[in-house]
Amino acid sequence: MIRTRIATAALVVLAGLSLVGCSKDEAGMLADAKARIEKRDTAGAEIELKNLLQKHPKSGEARFLLGQSMFRRGDAAGALIELERAFEARFDDNQVVPLLAQVLVVTGKNR
């Protein structure tokens, strides 16, 4: 009986903790993605950014970071899509435009 109560309490705590992780705002999700980028966890960062974009599709910074990451790992076509969306979302031109120009040259779409 005591074990059942302890197990139930543990499940309630774990369920509560999982909900806390799901309720992050855009800034918190961006911070998590940036931390993964700092650790050179490209795959993890891209997952974080894609999750963020599901909740906040107009996040220009997330689109920029995702495009940058995709380009660095060799996915120029995917990077082009995300960087164009970052540009359309009016994210910082000083960051987007130079990288977007590089991607356009690599993909041959600069003509």
Side-chain angles (χ1 to χ4, degrees), residues 51-111:
N51 288 339
L52 187 159
L53 289 168
Q54 285 181 347
K55 293 181 180 182
H56 306 280
K58 294 182 181 179
S59 174
E61 185 172 8
R63 295 218 178 263
F64 171 76
L65 292 171
L66 181 57
Q68 183 180 54
S69 179
M70 295 171 105
F71 186 57
R72 285 181 178 161
R73 71 172 170 76
D75 182 3
L80 179 60
I81 292 167
E82 294 304 330
L83 292 171
E84 285 177 337
R85 290 179 180 169
F87 182 79
E88 290 167 3
R90 300 184 188 266
F91 184 65
D92 184 7
D93 285 349
N94 292 323
Q95 293 184 61
V96 176
V97 172
L99 187 56
L100 183 56
Q102 286 180 334
V103 172
L104 287 168
V105 169
V106 168
T107 59
K109 302 210 176 191
N110 62 329
R111 299 181 181 149

Side-chain angles (χ1 to χ4, degrees), residues 22-63:
C22 293
S23 66
K24 288 184 182 174
D25 63 353
E26 183 177 355
M29 294 176 85
L30 269 172
D32 289 348
K34 288 177 180 180
R36 289 185 180 267
I37 290 168
E38 286 286 320
K39 294 177 185 174
R40 299 178 194 251
D41 177 10
T42 303
E46 287 188 16
I47 290 168
E48 292 280 349
L49 291 165
K50 287 176 182 179
N51 288 339
L52 187 159
L53 289 168
Q54 285 181 347
K55 293 181 180 182
H56 306 280
K58 294 182 181 179
S59 174
E61 185 172 8
R63 295 218 178 263

